[in-house]
Amino acid sequence: MGFLDTIKMGLDTVKNFFQAKEKDHSMSPPQENQRSPVGGYHNRYSPQVINNTQYSKNKGSIEAMASRKPFGEANLNIQGSMPAKKEGFNRVLDGLKKRQLQHDFKLERAAETYEPIQNIGSGAFGIVCEAVETSSDDKVAIKKVAHASATPTLARRTLREIRVLRYIDHPNIVTLRDIFRTQGPLGIDVFLVMDLMQNNLHHIIYGNEEPLDEYYINQFLGQLLRGLEYLHVASIAHRDLKPSNLLVNQDGTLRIADFGMAKFTDNSSKKHDDEEHCYYMTQHVATLPYRAPELLFVLPEHSTAVDMWAVGCIFGEMVTRNELLPGRSVQGQIKMLLTMLGHPPQHVIDEIRCDRTKKLIQDFVRKADPDWEDIMYCKARGDDQIVRGHCDTIDFVKQLFQYDATKRISIQEALAHSYIRRVIEPQGSQKKCPFRVKKDMMQVEDLSHQELIEIMKQDVRSAENTYNEMRSGDYNRWMAGDFQRDRREQIEKANYDPMYSSRNSSNQLANGFNRQHQFGQPVSGYEWRVSPYGAA
Ligand SMILES: Nc1ncnc2c1ncn2[C@@H]1O[C@H](COP(=O)(O)OP(=O)(O)OP(=O)(O)O)[C@@H](O)[C@H]1O
């Protein structure tokens, strides 16, 4: 039974219940100001946030939020429609929510380790719940990717997420603590256990009447750039940056999440263009407002520059409290770009392979170049601290919104830009992304559906073992280093994949990822983090 069916059934039950109650006039009097404890997840779904008409212009955001509303709170106007009955109503809804949670998060063996508490979010591919790790009482977030093995796209997405996160250790990237899988009706369900974060940037931007304070805008921007630097230096593009994928804690820590679209990008990675073309043109509409022109126009290549475009959109959204480029279809988004930013340069148009897109651009009435000061100011807040009077801010924005990806500001250039240097405290040099992540990510792009499934199972198994061993008391040895060495050997052996090495040996050599070189002496930039599951 689907989620909507469950809701419908629940509502019918509740309606019948109250109709019967009304007949015998035995209903208790209205209890004002009482609310059930449903949801209550750090206020992120509070009715003020959901019903905030301030951003009703922003249809896409509302739709996005609507799909993320937890059961029974914002979808149903409890207070408005049945004030007298809300207590009983909420009790029934609580029961339904609990059943839905049990249905979504059947953890099988892992049920001994984690206890789901409540659903806290969902996207196109995953549902996320808050849970408790029973041994430590730590709060965690568990993301379930249902039937992850069912299609190549889902399998690739899941493997990308596992492979980026399992060896990464950065304060501005979400921490993966554990992975396990169960057998679902349509294939494997994969569960990723992460540190629990309290909110996301989307809710922070729109959850208040007031625009974000300049201090926070700069803090969030700085953390986003540092997290991206770690990835981009390793040629890994996130490719799905948007405010709801930037998780934020109460102390203001921002972490980048949702790596299902992450990809190792270099000039040689042009595989799966057709698959991706299809994907971008159809399913991935939710993130259109953040999509770089090279993805929209489906140019033959794209790189980490796609994330820098998204940084521009997110920065603009934080300042103006509106999506800067809120297109609702691929065509609409292209028109939005043409209206707001003018025409792309001719050499960019020449690279477009799709005739329809080319024609759309050529036929569109030519607009003047954008006045960024106006764009950032008009829609905005009315104070001019951030935009007016600071030409370095405008220059920063202009450089992020370059149509030509090769001219767009890179992460290093962004961090060295006078605006960023003016508003964000410089930090010492940061750790490098493990070489292993690069290699693992490269491999993902070359695998067939069957190989993806096999490797996904293998990765999950190896991670499961590691985490189980950690939990079963080897933690001190692990921290002391012996365990890391043992484990490293085991994982290296476990990851020896003849299928891949024989098929790709020439590729590996060509790309400098010779297995012997890699697993023999650590090459420069290779580092083994203390715990691949972020025990710290
Ligand atoms: N570690 C976490 N802590 C708290 N909330 C989280 C965490 N991870 C994810 N979420 C919440 O769950 C939502 C959905 O997660 P996520 O974006 O990873 O799913 P998805 O299906 O891949 O989404 P998308 O549709 O963006 O591709 C997020 O927007 C976020 O609000």
Side-chain angles (χ1 to χ4, degrees):
M1 191 188 297
F3 186 67
L4 285 175
D5 293 336
T6 319
I7 294 180
K8 205 161 162 281
M9 221 182 75
L11 286 175
D12 288 345
T13 318
V14 173
K15 219 163 117 194
N16 294 339
F17 169 75
F18 284 121
Q19 274 168 357
K21 282 274 184 188
E22 252 165 16
K23 270 185 201 149
D24 69 1
H25 305 285
S26 61
M27 181 59 72
S28 53
Q31 307 259 316
E32 285 303 330
N33 303 326
Q34 266 194 20
R35 253 188 92 229
S36 110
V38 283
Y41 181 67
H42 303 287
N43 243 356
R44 57 200 296 198
Y45 298 114
S46 65
Q48 300 93 293
V49 174
I50 300 292
N51 297 329
N52 188 350
T53 45
Q54 286 276 324
Y55 70 107
S56 57
K57 279 184 285 171
N58 191 345
K59 200 162 160 271
S61 300
I62 283 202
E63 279 164 8
M65 290 277 285
S67 66
R68 281 151 211 242
K69 288 171 199 168
F71 199 17
E73 193 160 6
N75 289 331
L76 307 161
N77 186 358
I78 297 170
Q79 287 191 331
S81 59
M82 288 190 268
K85 298 135 196 169
K86 63 183 194 266
E87 219 183 315
F89 191 88
N90 283 336
R91 240 195 334 267
V92 177
L93 288 175
D94 277 350
L96 286 169
K97 267 179 52 170
K98 214 167 169 181
R99 272 171 50 196
Q100 188 66 48
L101 187 70
Q102 282 163 357
H103 176 266
D104 289 337
F105 288 89
K106 281 196 195 104
L107 304 184
E108 296 184 1
R109 274 183 307 145
E112 286 170 19
T113 316
Y114 303 105
E115 189 189 322
I117 298 175
Q118 61 177 329
N119 194 322
I120 54 171
S122 60
F125 295 88
I127 340 168
V128 182
C129 81
E130 176 185 336
V132 172
E133 188 183 48
T134 44
S135 59
S136 62
D137 258 359
D138 282 353
K139 290 255 178 95
V140 293
I142 304 182
K143 174 171 171 174
K144 172 187 175 182
V145 185
H147 35 84
S149 58
T151 66
T153 305
L154 265 174
R156 203 179 310 281
R157 252 193 90 97
T158 314
L159 195 57
R160 279 169 174 162
E161 187 143 27
I162 293 173
R163 293 210 145 184
V164 169
L165 290 180
R166 67 180 177 162
Y167 298 112
I168 268 182
D169 182 14
H170 190 275
N172 303 119
I173 297 177
V174 74
T175 314
L176 185 65
R177 298 167 62 112
D178 192 6
I179 314 173
F180 56 90
R181 70 182 165 100
T182 61
Q183 188 61 44
L186 294 171
I188 305 169
D189 293 341
V190 173
F191 296 83
L192 305 172
V193 184
M194 296 167 277
D195 280 352
L196 180 71
M197 298 289 288
Q198 288 158 332
N199 217 327
N200 69 43
L201 190 58
H202 178 91
H203 291 124
I204 290 182
I205 294 173
Y206 297 105
N208 284 308
E209 302 272 323
E210 293 298 308
L212 267 181
D213 191 89
E214 184 182 355
Y215 172 80
Y216 289 111
I217 294 178
N218 293 331
Q219 287 304 309
F220 292 146
L221 180 64
Q223 295 181 74
L224 171 60
L225 292 179
R226 279 196 289 273
L228 275 187
E229 184 191 22
Y230 182 84
L231 296 167
H232 285 192
V233 167
S235 304
I236 293 169
H238 181 283
R239 305 198 310 165
D240 198 11
L241 288 178
K242 54 184 172 182
S244 61
N245 282 340
L246 303 177
L247 306 178
V248 180
N249 257 351
Q250 226 157 20
D251 63 0
T253 307
L254 176 145
R255 288 180 186 259
I256 304 171
D258 190 3
F259 284 84
M261 287 299 293
K263 191 177 179 187
F264 178 79
T265 55
D266 69 355
N267 292 338
S268 63
S269 64
K270 290 183 199 166
K271 287 207 160 197
H272 304 289
D273 270 2
D274 291 343
E275 187 191 321
E276 302 231 322
H277 180 275
C278 236
Y279 183 64
Y280 276 114
M281 288 317 207
T282 53
Q283 300 175 45
H284 215 72
V285 289
T287 49
L288 271 173
Y290 310 92
R291 196 175 299 175
E294 55 272 34
L295 296 175
L296 268 179
F297 303 158
V298 201
L299 299 185
E301 274 174 44
H302 63 267
S303 67
T304 47
V306 297
D307 290 341
M308 299 312 291
W309 180 278
V311 168
C313 299
I314 294 166
F315 178 51
E317 196 164 334
M318 284 196 285
V319 174
T320 65
R321 206 162 166 272
N322 265 299
E323 285 172 351
L324 279 194
L325 301 162
R328 295 292 166 249
S329 66
V330 172
Q331 283 214 352
Q333 187 68 27
I334 294 175
K335 286 181 188 163
M336 181 71 65
L337 256 61
L338 298 172
T339 312
M340 297 277 287
L341 314 179
H343 265 57
Q346 191 55 43
H347 69 274
V348 173
I349 302 178
D350 290 342
E351 271 192 79
I352 300 173
R353 289 181 303 182
C354 171
D355 290 338
R356 246 181 49 203
T357 307
K358 226 173 185 167
K359 190 161 176 338
L360 178 76
I361 296 174
Q362 276 158 349
D363 291 350
F364 203 82
V365 181
R366 216 160 253 282
K367 300 273 177 186
D369 284 346
D371 180 344
W372 279 109
E373 199 162 327
D374 257 10
I375 294 173
M376 298 287 279
Y377 183 71
C378 280
K379 284 182 158 190
R381 29 200 295 135
D383 77 53
D384 49 16
Q385 281 177 324
I386 292 188
V387 180
R388 276 182 196 266
H390 282 304
C391 40
D392 59 355
T393 319
I394 295 301
D395 182 70
F396 181 64
V397 175
K398 267 186 192 163
Q399 296 208 42
L400 288 164
F401 283 106
Q402 288 292 322
Y403 270 117
D404 183 346
T406 61
K407 301 236 166 74
R408 203 171 300 146
I409 193 168
S410 71
I411 190 73
Q412 284 95 348
E413 288 164 345
L415 284 163
H417 191 277
S418 54
Y419 169 62
I420 298 297
R421 287 216 318 268
R422 177 163 64 80
V423 296
I424 293 165
E425 258 179 52
Q427 300 240 324
S429 64
Q430 58 173 332
K431 280 204 292 186
K432 273 192 186 152
C433 177
F435 177 77
R436 179 65 184 272
V437 178
K438 254 165 115 162
K439 190 273 299 180
D440 282 357
M441 288 302 285
M442 229 170 115
Q443 190 183 5
V444 174
E445 302 309 319
D446 288 328
L447 300 173
S448 69
H449 188 190
Q450 201 45 46
E451 289 168 340
L452 281 167
I453 297 173
E454 284 312 313
I455 303 227
M456 188 161 68
K457 284 183 183 167
Q458 193 178 299
D459 279 12
V460 173
R461 200 179 314 125
S462 116
E464 245 174 341
N465 290 342
T466 312
Y467 206 66
N468 284 339
E469 281 161 0
M470 269 183 70
R471 266 195 301 265
S472 66
D474 272 317
Y475 186 73
N476 289 339
R477 249 186 86 210
W478 173 284
M479 293 305 278
D482 295 359
F483 197 84
Q484 294 169 44
R485 230 176 356 260
D486 297 354
R487 190 66 207 139
R488 180 162 145 187
E489 278 164 21
Q490 280 174 27
I491 290 181
E492 283 168 2
K493 274 188 208 132
N495 276 307
Y496 179 74
D497 166 16
M499 196 161 51
Y500 173 71
S501 64
S502 61
R503 202 162 50 77
N504 293 292
S505 52
S506 55
N507 262 356
Q508 285 176 2
L509 287 172
N511 290 303
F513 288 104
N514 179 305
R515 194 175 287 276
Q516 198 186 350
H517 182 43
Q518 184 188 117
F519 292 144
Q521 291 300 309
V523 294
S524 143
Y526 180 98
E527 34 177 313
W528 190 258
R529 51 186 278 196
V530 173
S531 149
Y533 304 103

